Amino acid sequence: MQPGDIVLYGTGPQNTSTSVHTGVVVAVGNGRISTVEGNSNNAVRKHGPFDPTRAKAAGRPGNIYGWVAAQ
């Protein structure tokens, strides 16, 4: 992942129950990412840095099942 990528939280894109949230990566370093997310407790907030392989354990709405790379 790199800044500008969009992370996809949940367990997959099957429906709105399994794809629960998105965030924009704003920083990457030391195996951790920081994101900016809207509708995060009814506000736009920065989260991180956190280990993207353990996003749910870091308090995000689910684990990251994929991301969309910025070009």
Side-chain angles (χ1 to χ4, degrees):
M1 287 177 227
Q2 63 184 358
D5 290 354
I6 299 177
V7 293
L8 308 170
Y9 294 104
T11 58
Q14 291 81 7
N15 59 54
T16 57
S17 296
T18 59
S19 184
V20 297
H21 194 68
T22 62
V24 178
V25 177
V26 294
V28 176
N30 297 322
R32 300 166 74 80
I33 65 171
S34 294
T35 60
V36 169
E37 301 168 23
N39 196 22
S40 183
N41 294 324
N42 295 318
V44 174
R45 296 178 188 220
K46 182 178 177 186
H47 298 280
F50 62 90
D51 179 347
T53 65
R54 297 184 39 80
K56 189 169 184 174
R60 304 313 321 121
N63 285 318
I64 296 171
Y65 70 85
W67 67 91
V68 180
Q71 294 272 337

